[in-house]
Amino acid sequence: MVTVFKKYKESIGFGLSIAMLFYILRWFEIRYLILSQQYDIYFGLIAFVFTLLGIWLAKQLIEPKTVWIEKEIAVPSTGPFEINQFEINARKISKRELEVLELIATGKSNEEIAEALFVSLNTIKTHTANLYQKLEVKRRTQAIEKAKSLGILR
């Protein structure tokens, strides 16, 4: 084995030196690429950071926000229903307006209420406007809800 090493000593030496030169050349080539392309690498890293920042910002802006709406709900009592006469007197609601309110609560239109009470459509509109003002509401559904919470309707 020693004789083989001595025989090919020169060839092994040349092979190792060529390998070392290739290694050094490759190292210089990679270093040259990094130095010559340093701006591209730098801009690529900046682009990557801003892409991540854009994704995070988009998620923050698009994500729905939770909004809590508190609403007071009147729970009916278990006993028999009694009309709150005190509220009716305090708000000065007439008997005819109370009849109109009860018919509104059944879901009837102004025309149907006018036919049921044998009055004109303008009279029903006047009673409805008065009810809205006395109950401090703007819509039929609000009037029904407020009347129920005050104990005026079932």
Side-chain angles (χ1 to χ4, degrees):
M1 186 77 136
V2 176
T3 58
V4 175
F5 182 68
K6 285 183 183 181
K7 186 176 182 183
Y8 296 108
K9 181 179 177 184
E10 222 173 283
S11 298
I12 293 172
F14 282 125
L16 286 175
S17 62
I18 289 174
M20 184 64 89
L21 287 173
F22 277 135
Y23 175 76
I24 292 171
L25 182 63
R26 187 70 178 159
W27 182 76
F28 277 126
E29 181 182 350
I30 291 172
R31 187 170 169 140
Y32 171 74
L33 283 175
I34 290 174
L35 290 177
S36 67
Q37 306 298 326
Q38 67 183 353
Y39 293 114
D40 295 338
I41 293 170
Y42 179 70
F43 292 142
L45 287 174
I46 289 175
F48 181 72
V49 168
F50 276 102
T51 301
L52 291 179
L53 181 66
I55 291 170
W56 174 80
L57 186 62
K59 285 181 83 177
Q60 294 299 317
L61 293 175
I62 293 174
E63 195 170 292
K65 305 293 184 215
T66 304
V67 178
W68 293 95
I69 299 174
E70 293 185 21
K71 183 177 179 182
E72 189 174 319
I73 299 175
V75 179
S77 63
T78 57
F81 178 74
E82 293 182 21
I83 293 177
N84 188 350
Q85 199 63 40
F86 176 75
E87 278 295 330
I88 293 173
N89 293 337
R91 294 182 183 269
K92 298 179 183 173
I93 298 174
S94 69
K95 288 184 181 181
R96 185 57 95 169
E97 289 171 345
L98 188 58
E99 289 176 8
V100 170
L101 183 60
E102 288 172 351
L103 290 172
I104 288 173
T106 61
K108 295 191 180 208
S109 66
N110 285 344
E111 292 84 10
E112 293 171 333
I113 296 170
E115 288 176 16
L117 297 178
F118 304 106
V119 293
S120 73
L121 182 60
N122 287 334
T123 305
I124 297 302
K125 288 181 180 179
T126 302
H127 286 314
T128 305
N130 291 339
L131 277 170
Y132 290 171
Q133 185 178 10
K134 291 176 182 179
L135 293 174
E136 300 169 353
V137 295
K138 294 182 180 180
R139 295 184 190 87
R140 288 174 162 248
T141 54
Q142 291 174 339
I144 295 167
E145 186 178 321
K146 182 90 175 234
K148 285 183 179 180
S149 68
L150 293 174
I152 298 172
L153 287 178
R154 289 182 189 210

